[in-house]
Amino acid sequence: MKMNKRLLDLALLGGLVLIIFSPVFTADLITGDDFDRIKSLSRFEGWQLDKIFFRGSKAGLYYRPLSFLSFVADKQFWGLHPGMMHAVNLFFHFANSVLVYFILATILSLKGIIVSERIGRWLPLIAAVLFASHPITTESVCWLAGRTDLMAGFFVLASTLALLRYKVSQNKLYLIVAFITFAMGILSKEVAIAFVPGMFLILWARNVDGQLKGLSGQSLVKWLPKLLLMLVLSGGIVWLFVLLRQAAFASSSSRIGMTLKFIFNDLYYAMFVCLRAFGFYVKKFFMPYPLNFAILGVDPLYELLAMILVVGCFILLCRRNYVSVFILTGVALLTPAFPIAFSQIAWTPYAERYVYISTAFFVVALVCWCGRYLSHKKISSLGLALSVVLVCASSAATYQRSLVWQSNLLLWQDTTVKSPLHASAWNDYGVALFHEGEFEKAKEMYQKAASLNGLFYKEKYDLNYADVFVEQGRYEDAKKTYSAMHEKSKGRSKGALKAWRELLGRQISQADSSAEKESLEAELRDVSALMSEIRKN
């Protein structure tokens, strides 16, 4: 009977995930990253595991071999078909929801967890559907590049379930599985390193609520070997990851160095940047709107909220129940997003996908906490009714957001409205309009992006602007744009000269007369000479 109920629950969960994310099966490839990923994969022959794990690059930022391996599998199995690639993302999200289901079911099976049988049978399903339908998960699911969060989340949640099963059975095989899946999480996305304190907290949690009065000498002796073993194993996995990353890259990206410089130059300022990010991301879990793909900045008042939350974390640390442990683990998994708020590492300093893994832990903690207060028959009926309303509202919101992600045009239009100062968003909006054949509007978007360049000149916006002229056959206007780019960059724009040479090559092949061809060849020699000067310098 119990098995039948679980199968029915998982079937309902799967149906819900398919319905609310159904628009992704016909979604565009997002210009933010998906096209570049497909382009790099198209040049990748076979599996080439050595290149996946040991790239041999001069410098690098992200080392995520398992995530990249999943995209290589996309190429091998279904030829990079966008619908199938989106289906893989959706599968990982469903799998993560299933793990949330079994995590809470395992917690409720522990002795000392006081939840009535009437409400307890529904809590795992409620937690799973709340996570599956939470609007904050949309970005990770609908964006192909968001698979890194989905995969890291899968392995972190699998490690969590294995740790809980170890506590139930004391079978050390579960402990081994927990560390293996933790390692695979790090190789999917480095943010999984932040799960280290969560592993300690989960094993340290006790089944009965109450204040932690202190550890006796006997309990310290009991815990010390386990603590040392955990430190050795988790430290060894992180050290192995560092070694693999060093083997893959000769040096770290300069963006990491710039971020560290920002942090250590002014620790007081850095603390408040981190507090602001902390408050913002916790707020996003409870109030995800407005949903935005490119978040440039957040209100400094979130620092005040974060200060209250920090005090709350210390209070939770003094308790050993699973509610407090899962909240603290979710908070720990937010911390890798804090350095990104310094605007040096990622193209946007804040992003909804950074809350994806933490959301699973917050949902488990919230549902577990509510379950303890829903034992009374009338209260439990009201609680179940409210849960249904919340799931329906959340599912409708997520479905609506999935429709926005279905089209580049809709997504970037939405993003520019919500982040009007984000130059890259305007540029991508222009690219979307360009692909729709709306060339004049595309040029307006590129000009808007160029006007938001800031202190440093970025040639890609003007390159896209020139592409419109090329597409319209207005070659002389395109050349004028390339010439202007050369001047703006003070003679350092390789992109402009390369595009200029390609255009001249096209014109030469289409030339009707020998005189025209000679003139174009002379122009090509001049441009090539400029390119040679850049290479020398």
Side-chain angles (χ1 to χ4, degrees):
M1 182 68 179
K2 188 175 182 181
M3 180 61 72
N4 290 337
K5 182 200 174 294
R6 284 188 172 176
L7 289 174
L8 179 61
D9 287 350
L10 297 181
L12 289 171
L13 178 62
L16 177 70
V17 170
L18 281 174
I19 291 171
I20 60 179
F21 289 106
S22 58
V24 304
F25 291 109
T26 56
D28 292 343
L29 291 173
I30 303 304
T31 53
D33 190 50
D34 292 347
F35 279 106
D36 291 338
R37 191 174 299 274
I38 297 296
K39 187 177 179 181
S40 66
L41 286 165
S42 64
R43 297 192 297 264
F44 204 85
E45 298 297 331
W47 292 95
Q48 295 183 291
L49 296 179
D50 56 331
K51 289 188 178 181
I52 295 174
F53 287 89
F54 306 103
R55 297 185 187 177
S57 303
K58 291 182 179 179
L61 178 61
Y62 300 128
Y63 180 64
R64 301 165 180 176
L66 286 186
S67 295
F68 189 76
L69 183 61
S70 75
F71 289 111
V72 173
D74 285 333
K75 181 181 179 181
Q76 297 299 318
F77 293 135
W78 30 77
L80 298 176
H81 187 280
M84 293 302 298
M85 294 176 75
H86 281 296
V88 173
N89 274 28
L90 200 58
F91 168 78
F92 274 109
H93 183 55
F94 170 68
N96 291 338
S97 304
V98 171
L99 286 170
V100 167
Y101 179 96
F102 282 106
I103 284 170
L104 188 52
T106 304
I107 292 173
L108 296 177
S109 70
L110 295 169
K111 294 179 181 178
I113 304 297
I114 306 171
V115 174
S116 70
E117 185 177 350
R118 170 181 164 78
I119 191 68
R121 66 187 298 270
W122 292 105
L123 291 182
L125 180 60
I126 292 171
V129 296
L130 282 176
F131 172 69
S133 63
H134 199 298
I136 205 71
T137 65
T138 315
E139 183 174 304
S140 297
V141 178
C142 295
W143 192 24
L144 290 183
R147 188 182 298 179
T148 55
D149 298 286
L150 300 173
M151 289 185 65
F154 174 79
F155 291 118
V156 165
L157 291 170
S159 181
T160 301
L161 181 59
L163 290 171
L164 290 170
R165 295 306 305 170
Y166 167 72
K167 293 195 71 172
V168 171
S169 65
Q170 292 300 304
N171 186 341
K172 291 183 174 58
L173 181 61
Y174 284 115
L175 204 57
I176 295 171
V177 171
F179 279 100
I180 291 174
T181 50
F182 166 60
M184 295 176 76
I186 296 176
L187 293 174
S188 299
K189 189 174 184 178
E190 52 283 324
V191 298
I193 293 174
F195 183 55
V196 171
M199 299 177 79
F200 285 89
L201 288 167
I202 291 167
L203 288 178
W204 186 59
R206 60 184 180 184
N207 301 352
V208 194
D209 193 11
Q211 295 293 331
L212 178 62
K213 300 296 183 182
L215 293 171
S216 64
Q218 183 179 0
S219 61
L220 278 173
V221 171
K222 179 183 176 182
W223 266 92
L224 190 58
K226 292 182 179 180
L227 179 64
L228 290 174
L229 178 63
M230 290 281 290
L231 283 171
V232 170
L233 289 174
S234 57
I237 289 171
V238 174
W239 178 70
L240 180 61
F241 171 76
V242 172
L243 289 180
L244 287 170
R245 192 179 188 282
Q246 287 178 343
F249 304 127
S251 64
S252 293
S253 169
S254 60
R255 287 184 279 176
I256 296 176
M258 287 294 294
T259 302
L260 293 175
K261 186 177 179 181
F262 269 96
I263 293 172
F264 289 110
N265 277 355
D266 192 340
L267 291 174
Y268 185 75
Y269 169 74
M271 178 186 71
F272 280 98
V273 170
C274 294
L275 284 173
R276 190 181 309 171
F278 179 30
F280 172 72
Y281 285 126
V282 171
K283 171 263 175 186
K284 269 288 186 179
F285 170 73
F286 291 99
M287 297 175 61
Y289 280 89
L291 295 169
N292 187 1
F293 187 32
I295 307 170
L296 270 179
V298 298
D299 196 321
L301 289 177
Y302 284 116
E303 295 166 10
L304 298 176
L305 172 61
M307 291 178 186
I308 298 171
L309 292 172
V310 169
V311 174
C313 287
F314 279 109
I315 295 172
L316 290 173
L317 196 58
C318 294
R319 308 183 69 88
R320 287 176 63 184
N321 59 48
Y322 282 94
V323 172
S324 62
V325 160
F326 270 71
I327 291 174
L328 291 172
T329 302
V331 169
L333 287 162
L334 284 177
T335 55
F338 297 169
I340 299 174
F342 289 90
S343 303
Q344 298 299 317
I345 295 178
W347 69 284
T348 180
Y350 302 91
E352 292 157 6
R353 59 188 176 278
Y354 301 151
V355 198
Y356 180 84
I357 305 175
S358 296
T359 297
F361 287 87
F362 290 155
V363 165
V364 170
L366 180 64
V367 174
C368 191
W369 179 78
C370 291
R372 294 184 303 176
Y373 298 97
L374 297 176
S375 297
H376 192 276
K377 186 175 180 180
K378 290 184 179 179
I379 297 178
S380 65
S381 298
L382 178 61
L384 289 174
L386 289 174
S387 298
V388 172
V389 172
L390 181 59
V391 167
C392 290
S394 182
S395 299
T398 302
Y399 177 78
Q400 187 63 36
R401 185 61 180 172
S402 297
L403 289 173
V404 173
W405 273 90
Q406 193 178 27
S407 160
N408 266 300
L409 205 58
L410 288 175
L411 177 64
W412 292 114
Q413 182 182 38
D414 176 83
T415 304
T416 52
V417 168
K418 294 171 180 174
S419 294
L421 299 179
H422 204 297
S424 293
W426 286 104
N427 177 67
D428 282 298
Y429 189 18
V431 172
L433 288 165
F434 178 83
H435 286 299
E436 292 293 321
E438 299 187 38
F439 300 127
E440 294 306 315
K441 287 185 178 180
K443 286 196 293 185
E444 291 178 20
M445 300 306 115
Y446 296 144
Q447 287 177 319
K448 180 69 176 179
S451 70
L452 297 170
N453 255 336
L455 297 176
F456 303 102
Y457 176 67
K458 294 180 182 178
E459 63 179 18
K460 67 177 182 179
Y461 307 136
D462 285 335
L463 275 174
N464 288 337
Y465 187 81
D467 284 345
V468 177
F469 288 129
V470 173
E471 186 69 22
Q472 292 176 322
R474 296 166 59 182
Y475 296 152
E476 294 307 314
D477 288 328
K479 292 177 188 178
K480 289 178 183 177
T481 304
Y482 297 141
S483 179
M485 289 173 63
H486 188 65
E487 293 178 7
K488 288 179 186 178
S489 65
K490 298 179 181 179
R492 292 193 294 268
S493 178
K494 292 182 181 179
L497 296 179
K498 183 180 178 182
W500 198 344
R501 286 172 59 183
E502 289 176 356
L503 176 57
L504 286 168
R506 180 191 297 187
Q507 284 187 285
I508 290 171
S509 65
Q510 296 173 352
D512 295 326
S513 64
S514 57
E516 182 185 0
K517 188 174 182 179
E518 288 177 7
S519 174
L520 291 169
E521 287 175 343
E523 187 178 351
L524 179 59
R525 286 193 292 271
D526 292 338
V527 174
S528 297
L530 292 173
M531 180 70 82
S532 298
E533 288 180 16
I534 293 177
R535 288 171 180 168
K536 289 178 183 178
N537 297 329

